[in-house]
Amino acid sequence: MSCREENNEDVRKPFLHTGSWYRMGSRQSSMMGSSQVIRDSSISVLACVLIVALGPIQFGFTCGYSSPTQIAIIKDLKLTVSEFSLFGSLSNVGAMVGAISSGQIAEYIGRKGSLMIAAVPNIIGWLAISFAKDPSFLYMGRLLEGFGVGIISYVVPVYIAEIAPQNLRGGLGSVNQLSVTIGIMLAYLLGLFVNWRVLAVLGTFPCLALIPGLFFIPESPRWLAKMGLTEDFETSLQVLRGFDADITNEVNEIKRSIASSTNRRTAMRFADLKHRRYWFPLMVGIVLLVLQQLGGINGVIFYSSNIFLSAGISSSNAATFGVGAIQVVATAVATWLVDKTGRRLLLIVSSAGMAVSLLVVAVSFYLKGYVSEDSTLYGVLGILSVVGVVFMIISFSLGMGPIPWLIMSEILPIKIKGLAGSTATLANWLFSWVITVTAPLLMAWSSGGTFTIYMVMCAFTVAFVAIWVPETKGRTLEEIQSSFR
């Protein structure tokens, strides 16, 4: 008996229901040429990933926006440095609100519907910033952006993990972070040529393209299966794997996994997380996402122009764009490596590289305090600090950027994915806010001390990954989840 038959009265319909054309395509596939249907599973899944990747591009654009616009916004709206710091951090506050609701929204209306919900406040937020005449509209827009980004940051990696074949899941999952870095780079690049109001209008484009794109991709088959929509579940999976593919084994494995979990109508409570099969993957997911922030990456990205200025580089915005471009390349390399080397190795190499790079930066800033500004050594130390920052960002992009989100989407059991995913995402955004707010204050206190604190956290990350983080390479989501039972 199917889940649909057992719980017919509780079957939910996805917010964006576009299954009919998939069934039509499946029926007509035997009559149509191969050029008219999607038969290759990797092409089909890749098309879906590229569409939802517009969300993380929006995420990255929001992160990168504050760096090239700081001086202009402060001048035009007559803000103080603390007011602009508040503006920069409010996206994190909005994201925390979005994170709290993201899991429940994604469970109730589906992954695609959640992205639609996230796109609208993003667009409104950017327009509010563009037309702001005083700080109130500026702050409101930043909060709305953050709310949408908070939902996107949870839903996109989960959707990608749930649609991807196991042999491609690592690489496709890393596209999430690759898109974030592309968004950051675009904000840096466009910020060199347009003013802050035009840049805010350009920030609406990813979500304006995402909304129509959502109507052309299938809903997550695992979410459809959990909701008891058996026919839509099998149709969605068939489209993702290709109309000629045999999906029998995968269908049966997903059905067994759904059947072995507690009845989906049973509400998940925080008290249930005390069971080891739940607390261990939740602990790993939360700690990894917290450590991702405690390494200081958002402090560097949000205020990179100021960091380069303090290091003695006059063309700080151009240097910031160069760092953004390097970050894209490094994340692309990680996307290629993650299914070859595994998650754990990349995380260890990444966090160790960040620790060494931050040590170089910290020592450089400490020594600059004892050297004359007119000396050659002062200039050398400035260059050394910039090199350290660049290698820190490269190291982050190779592992600590993409992989914590990937692992979170892989290891959380489907029964607790909504609640646990929201909790992990909230923790990430909470500490992102802490880092964003404290970075300029810490830099004013001691640049060397700031980077020393970040270095210690990266060193701790190496130990945590080596002891606690499981390897998920080459295993299906169902196999990963069953290992915690």
Side-chain angles (χ1 to χ4, degrees):
M1 183 178 291
S2 70
C3 292
R4 174 187 285 270
E5 293 168 337
E6 292 175 355
N7 299 292
N8 188 60
E9 73 280 2
D10 192 39
V11 169
R12 297 175 189 166
K13 294 293 183 182
F15 185 72
L16 291 179
H17 196 287
T18 53
S20 59
W21 74 270
Y22 301 136
R23 285 191 287 274
M24 179 185 70
S26 181
R27 289 195 302 268
Q28 293 179 352
S29 63
S30 60
M31 299 181 289
M32 300 170 69
S34 59
S35 62
Q36 294 173 283
V37 294
I38 301 175
R39 295 177 180 276
D40 188 326
S41 65
S42 62
I43 294 176
S44 176
V45 171
L46 181 59
C48 297
V49 170
L50 291 178
I51 289 173
V52 299
L54 290 166
I57 289 176
Q58 178 74 82
F59 178 172
F61 205 93
T62 300
C63 292
Y65 179 79
S66 62
S67 182
T69 59
Q70 178 173 352
I71 295 174
I73 291 178
I74 288 175
K75 179 181 178 182
D76 290 353
L77 298 184
K78 298 179 174 58
L79 303 182
T80 64
V81 174
S82 62
E83 286 175 326
F84 185 83
S85 295
L86 176 61
F87 166 72
S89 66
L90 280 177
S91 63
N92 297 288
V93 176
M96 283 187 272
V97 179
I100 292 170
S101 57
S102 61
Q104 296 306 310
I105 293 173
E107 290 301 299
Y108 189 75
I109 64 174
R111 312 325 189 195
K112 294 202 304 172
S114 302
L115 292 176
M116 177 71 79
I117 296 296
V120 175
N122 262 297
I123 295 170
I124 296 173
W126 282 116
L127 293 177
I129 291 174
S130 179
F131 293 102
K133 299 297 183 183
D134 55 59
S136 61
F137 260 69
L138 206 65
Y139 296 158
M140 181 186 72
R142 194 69 167 171
L143 282 169
L144 287 170
E145 283 175 30
F147 177 78
V149 165
I151 297 175
I152 287 169
S153 63
Y154 166 72
V155 175
V156 170
V158 167
Y159 176 80
I160 293 174
E162 290 180 346
I163 69 170
Q166 67 183 68
N167 62 315
L168 298 175
R169 195 176 62 242
L172 292 176
S174 299
V175 170
N176 175 62
Q177 183 65 21
L178 176 62
S179 300
V180 173
T181 63
I182 290 173
I184 293 171
M185 183 188 70
L186 287 174
Y188 290 164
L189 174 62
L190 295 173
L192 294 172
F193 303 104
V194 300
N195 67 42
W196 63 274
R197 295 186 186 275
V198 175
L199 188 63
V201 173
L202 295 176
T204 65
F205 285 12
C207 282
L208 287 174
L210 174 64
I211 291 173
L214 291 172
F215 288 91
F216 295 94
I217 62 175
E219 181 56 88
S220 160
R222 286 176 169 85
W223 181 82
L224 292 169
K226 183 185 177 185
M227 291 301 104
L229 298 166
T230 306
E231 184 180 356
D232 288 332
F233 146 56
E234 294 182 9
T235 301
S236 173
L237 191 62
Q238 189 72 71
V239 170
L240 291 166
R241 300 296 179 258
F243 290 129
D244 292 339
D246 182 1
I247 61 171
T248 304
N249 290 337
E250 192 169 1
V251 165
N252 291 335
E253 186 175 9
I254 293 173
K255 285 182 176 179
R256 282 194 300 270
S257 177
I258 297 295
S260 66
S261 64
T262 306
N263 188 294
R264 59 188 168 82
R265 292 182 296 171
T266 303
M268 186 65 201
R269 300 168 300 174
F270 277 100
D272 295 330
L273 299 180
K274 66 184 179 181
H275 301 296
R276 187 184 187 279
R277 61 171 296 196
Y278 294 143
W279 71 254
F280 181 77
L282 178 58
M283 180 273 291
V284 171
I286 288 177
V287 174
L288 269 183
L289 286 173
V290 168
L291 290 173
Q292 181 193 62
Q293 296 301 327
L294 290 179
I297 188 63
N298 270 346
V300 173
I301 290 175
F302 274 57
Y303 303 102
S304 53
S305 293
N306 283 353
I307 291 173
F308 289 137
L309 280 174
S310 67
I313 295 180
S314 56
S315 303
S316 57
N317 282 339
T320 300
F321 165 70
V323 168
I326 291 170
Q327 189 177 15
V328 171
V329 174
T331 308
V333 172
T335 301
W336 174 68
L337 284 176
V338 69
D339 279 321
K340 299 179 183 297
T341 62
R343 284 56 156 163
R344 279 167 48 86
L345 178 60
L346 278 182
L347 281 174
I348 291 172
V349 170
S350 172
S351 49
M354 289 176 67
V356 172
S357 301
L358 288 166
L359 176 62
V360 170
V361 177
V363 170
S364 299
F365 275 106
Y366 273 127
L367 293 178
K368 284 179 71 175
Y370 299 97
V371 176
S372 170
E373 293 186 12
D374 298 327
S375 67
T376 303
L377 181 58
Y378 187 89
V380 171
L381 290 173
I383 294 173
L384 191 61
S385 64
V386 171
V387 170
V389 168
V390 170
F391 274 97
M392 179 260 194
I393 292 176
I394 291 173
S395 298
F396 174 84
S397 302
L398 286 175
M400 284 304 294
I403 295 178
W405 292 107
L406 173 61
I407 288 182
M408 182 273 291
S409 67
E410 290 178 325
I411 68 174
L412 295 180
I414 193 166
K415 176 175 170 57
I416 67 164
K417 187 162 282 188
L419 177 60
S422 291
T423 304
T425 306
L426 172 61
N428 179 269
W429 281 107
L430 173 61
F431 282 88
S432 174
W433 174 76
V434 170
I435 293 297
T436 305
V437 167
T438 59
L441 302 175
L442 286 172
M443 291 290 289
W445 161 68
S446 170
S447 297
T450 301
F451 288 106
T452 300
I453 293 171
Y454 296 157
M455 178 203 68
V456 171
M457 297 313 304
C458 291
F460 176 78
T461 302
V462 175
F464 177 79
V465 173
I467 296 171
W468 291 102
V469 177
E471 180 57 73
T472 58
K473 170 191 170 186
R475 303 163 71 188
T476 67
L477 296 183
E478 289 68 35
E479 288 172 343
I480 295 168
Q481 292 160 17
S482 66
S483 68
F484 298 117
R485 290 173 189 159

